[in-house]
Amino acid sequence: MAKTTRQTQKWLLAAVHLGSLLPLVLFGLDAALGRLGFNPIETALHRSGRTAVAILLLSLTVTPIIKIFNLPMAIRLRKPLGLYAALYAGLHFAAFVVWDFGLNFGLIWLEFTQKPFLWVGLGALVILAVLAATSTRFWKKKLRSGWRRLHRTVYLAAGLALVHYLLAVKGDLLTLQGEYTRPLLAAGALLLLMVLRVPAVQQIFQRNRR
Amino acid sequence: MDQNDYRSVPVNPEEVTPKEVYLSRRKFLKGMGMVGLGALLASCAPAISTVNESPASTEDLREALTSYDAITNYVNYYEFTTNKEGVAELAQDFVTEPWSVELSGLVENPRRFSLDELRTNFEQEERIYRMRCVEGWSMVIPWLGFPLHKLLAAVKPTPQARYVAFETALVPEQMNAAESGMFPFPYREGLRLDEAEHDLTLLATGLYGEDLPPQNGAPIRLVVPWKYGFKSSKSLVRITLVENQPPTLWNTVAPQEYGFFANVNPGVDHPRWSQATERRIGESGRRATLFMNGYAEEVMPLYEGMDLTLNY
Ligand code: HEM
């Protein structure tokens, strides 16, 4: 790799780290200044959930960007983005279990028995956790070709996260009356990203480049 | 406990907390600005009690009054915005005078009441009520107003009248989100006539001893303390007596989630928010949600023989 490319890569990597940590830093700042609003737990759940979804979607843009713009150096951004998505999902879960329900597992279980959208969220969280745990070079070597297949379930995680999101906002999903702008934008983005993974679509871009 | 236990009696003037005390209480809460962080830290402590005991007596409720700041800055008023903490600013220029409320339908004396008439013809009393939002949070609010049955008596419902329909003002020029298409406004709500005539059912014109601010439903709104907050429609322009159960906004949008009765009931869950427990604004942790929001003794006679799980 040329020296300038490596330089660019370094800057991009730094930007990813800073950008991904910013929501957490802002949250800490707001907490310290008492600016989390009148229902801080709700604020925490909403902010962490939305940040997790946003970073997860960003992590999914890396591969299409590499392919479409022929930018192999972007590959280094994918792992940290994926790990940050998992981090925010974990914080979101912690806000629910620790802050909101004070580790009262009876109450937490009651919530799970009554609310399917929590199971959907748990599904996404488990996948993200497994992918984060197996993101190291060690696991990549150990699982060989299985690693790629395993890590393709990130699309499933994103799909589940968005279903969870759509079910978590107030309104009616069938008639779309309610606060659906944001989750639908996110769902549209995921759809687009998946279309970009279709080999036939990628060929169009590659042909155009030549 | 007897009469102390009553949560809805008009409060004697000498009992009413003077404004300065409210204000100092407000300052106090502001001083504790780090409630959020405190809660965060507290939640890390091993012995946190999650479900607080709920106060029952008027005295306790008075202790637990939610701050004026929170009541007026954390509200749902979707005609302005779905962001609860953004309503106050967007609603500040909402014009509430002149204002009148039209009483019509199955009544002997249909007529329009001006705001002045509503404020002066009916003695305003303070009532401290719990407010439980379907989203799983709650407050304790000192309302100022008068029971709806007094107004209904003035127009005399006919024997055919069985329900009361309420309509909220819809002023797109002044309400940012009124025409966003997100919800089928105007906001409509309804009560069964006997519920509407219950002494707890209030038409509020003020809170904390002052006129209602726009974001809380100025100049006059409904308060039905044993039902989820969305039943208590704001900024009323029309009250209509009808024979059949009237359509209501949330019951129309998502009937499986929001029933017509919408009585606070920890035994009937919701697909999104816990109804077994609630977050009291200003407190950390959760407290148990009370059946009928703590007003079961007063209101259960209304529902004798009814299956409250089916009629949620
Ligand atoms: C077991 C795992 C999870 C639990 C218990 C959980 C819990 C919740 C709860 C209770 C809410 C509703 C908050 C409210 O409106 O009061 C919510 C909303 C949300 N969650 Fe989760 N969640 C989980 C996993 C996830 C994951 C893995 C993601 C994303 C990767 C996610 C993203 C979101 C988003 C975007 C929202 C909507 C926030 C908004 O309305 O702005 N959740 N979650």
Side-chain angles (χ1 to χ4, degrees):
Chain A
M1 228 187 292
K3 196 171 161 219
T4 47
T5 315
R6 216 171 303 140
Q7 278 285 304
T8 318
Q9 194 181 46
K10 251 195 199 149
W11 283 110
L12 282 173
L13 210 52
V16 161
H17 282 293
L18 285 176
S20 302
L21 285 170
L22 192 65
L24 189 60
V25 171
L26 287 179
F27 186 86
L29 214 65
D30 283 341
L33 297 173
R35 283 201 315 225
L36 290 180
F38 295 97
N39 194 342
I41 299 175
E42 186 184 56
T43 307
L45 280 169
H46 286 186
R47 280 215 217 163
S48 56
R50 287 178 195 176
T51 310
V53 165
I55 299 183
L56 186 57
L57 289 176
L58 269 179
S59 77
L60 294 181
T61 63
V62 173
T63 307
I65 284 177
I66 293 173
K67 297 251 166 88
I68 295 170
F69 300 106
N70 195 18
L71 284 172
M73 65 149 172
I75 191 67
R76 288 270 317 270
L77 310 180
R78 197 170 66 180
K79 181 170 155 183
L81 282 170
L83 287 175
Y84 280 117
L87 170 72
Y88 282 97
L91 288 172
H92 178 71
F93 180 67
F96 179 82
V97 174
V98 183
W99 196 0
D100 199 3
F101 284 91
L103 295 178
N104 184 327
F105 290 105
L107 279 181
I108 293 168
W109 177 247
L110 184 69
E111 289 300 294
F112 270 85
T113 58
Q114 295 174 342
K115 298 171 180 34
F117 91 105
L118 293 180
W119 290 102
V120 179
L122 185 62
L125 181 69
V126 168
I127 294 176
L128 291 179
V130 169
L131 298 190
T134 58
S135 67
T136 57
R137 207 167 289 164
F138 170 81
W139 280 103
K140 204 167 183 172
K141 275 214 185 100
K142 187 159 165 147
L143 296 174
R144 293 160 190 260
S145 65
W147 190 89
R148 288 191 70 170
R149 246 180 295 138
L150 175 65
H151 280 248
R152 247 178 237 150
T153 56
V154 69
Y155 283 95
L156 178 60
L160 290 173
L162 287 180
V163 171
H164 170 78
Y165 193 175
L166 285 163
L167 292 173
V169 301
K170 198 168 167 181
D172 184 65
L173 200 48
L174 290 178
T175 58
L176 286 184
Q177 279 182 322
E179 298 182 85
Y180 289 104
T181 316
R182 255 185 277 230
L184 282 180
L185 278 176
L190 177 62
L191 208 67
L192 179 68
L193 290 168
M194 289 177 73
V195 169
L196 289 177
R197 298 292 314 248
V198 175
V201 177
Q202 291 191 348
Q203 268 165 18
I204 297 173
F205 286 104
Q206 272 148 15
R207 219 173 299 128
N208 283 350
R209 195 158 355 128
R210 257 179 244 131
Chain B
M1 283 238 282
D2 48 65
Q3 71 184 31
N4 270 351
D5 193 38
Y6 197 59
R7 299 147 195 115
S8 54
V9 277
V11 179
N12 300 329
E14 60 267 28
E15 266 183 66
V16 176
T17 315
K19 180 131 177 270
E20 307 79 74
V21 180
Y22 287 151
L23 291 177
S24 65
R25 197 178 279 142
R26 246 196 285 176
K27 271 204 206 96
F28 173 62
L29 278 178
K30 270 223 182 98
M32 307 203 323
M34 299 192 2
V35 175
L37 188 64
L40 187 61
L41 296 175
S43 69
C44 300
I48 180 172
S49 76
T50 311
V51 180
N52 305 325
E53 283 298 314
S54 289
S57 75
T58 309
E59 270 314 297
D60 287 344
L61 273 182
R62 196 161 265 292
E63 277 310 303
L65 277 188
T66 303
S67 75
Y68 183 83
D69 220 18
I71 296 171
T72 56
N73 285 296
Y74 189 76
V75 295
N76 275 318
Y77 201 153
Y78 280 12
E79 287 88 332
F80 291 100
T81 167
T82 51
N83 170 15
K84 288 189 273 290
E85 303 193 30
V87 181
E89 197 188 331
L90 291 172
Q92 62 187 349
D93 296 325
F94 185 60
V95 179
T96 57
E97 294 200 36
W99 194 277
S100 65
V101 182
E102 186 188 322
L103 271 276
S104 61
L106 302 173
V107 293
E108 283 175 27
N109 313 318
R111 62 167 286 202
R112 192 177 272 281
F113 290 84
S114 74
L115 187 57
D116 267 352
E117 287 174 300
L118 293 167
R119 280 194 182 134
T120 51
N121 296 8
F122 303 92
E123 191 194 339
Q124 311 288 307
E125 33 185 275
E126 183 176 71
R127 298 232 183 151
I128 298 169
Y129 285 160
R130 294 187 196 86
M131 211 286 297
R132 170 63 157 82
C133 178
V134 70
E135 295 171 352
W137 52 268
S138 64
M139 295 181 173
V140 180
I141 306 178
W143 299 107
L144 204 63
F146 61 97
L148 173 63
H149 64 73
K150 289 191 179 172
L151 184 63
L152 294 178
V155 294
K156 297 212 176 81
T158 66
Q160 293 98 301
R162 288 178 54 229
Y163 290 89
V164 187
F166 301 89
E167 189 181 315
T168 294
L170 182 62
V171 194
E173 314 84 69
Q174 295 176 44
M175 295 168 145
N176 291 50
E179 285 179 333
S180 64
M182 248 186 337
F183 295 98
F185 294 128
Y187 196 87
R188 291 177 207 282
E189 258 307 334
L191 295 172
R192 226 170 48 191
L193 182 57
D194 57 345
E195 297 177 317
E197 287 180 331
H198 194 283
D199 188 54
L200 283 174
T201 306
L202 196 72
L203 282 177
T205 55
L207 68 88
Y208 266 100
E210 288 176 27
D211 286 351
L212 282 179
Q215 65 270 30
N216 292 92
I220 186 162
R221 67 170 292 169
L222 189 65
V223 180
V224 194
W226 73 95
K227 291 174 182 283
Y228 292 117
F230 66 86
K231 293 299 286 183
S232 297
S233 349
K234 302 185 173 82
S235 308
L236 296 172
V237 288
R238 241 181 294 284
I239 299 176
T240 315
L241 281 281
V242 294
E243 190 170 350
N244 299 312
Q245 181 178 310
T248 73
L249 184 132
W250 283 107
N251 189 228
T252 308
V253 168
Q256 67 292 350
E257 292 184 21
Y258 310 95
F260 175 79
F261 287 97
N263 293 319
V264 176
N265 187 345
V268 177
D269 60 285
H270 187 278
R272 262 190 291 287
W273 306 287
S274 171
Q275 304 305 5
T277 58
E278 65 201 44
R279 298 181 204 126
R280 174 65 50 81
I281 299 301
E283 284 180 3
S284 60
R286 286 181 168 263
R287 55 167 66 220
T289 290
L290 303 174
F291 182 57
M292 294 289 163
N293 209 19
Y295 304 98
E297 214 179 295
E298 289 97 330
V299 302
M300 275 315 280
L302 294 170
Y303 306 110
E304 234 160 82
M306 258 176 72
D307 183 335
L308 293 174
T309 313
L310 290 178
N311 299 287
Y312 56 86

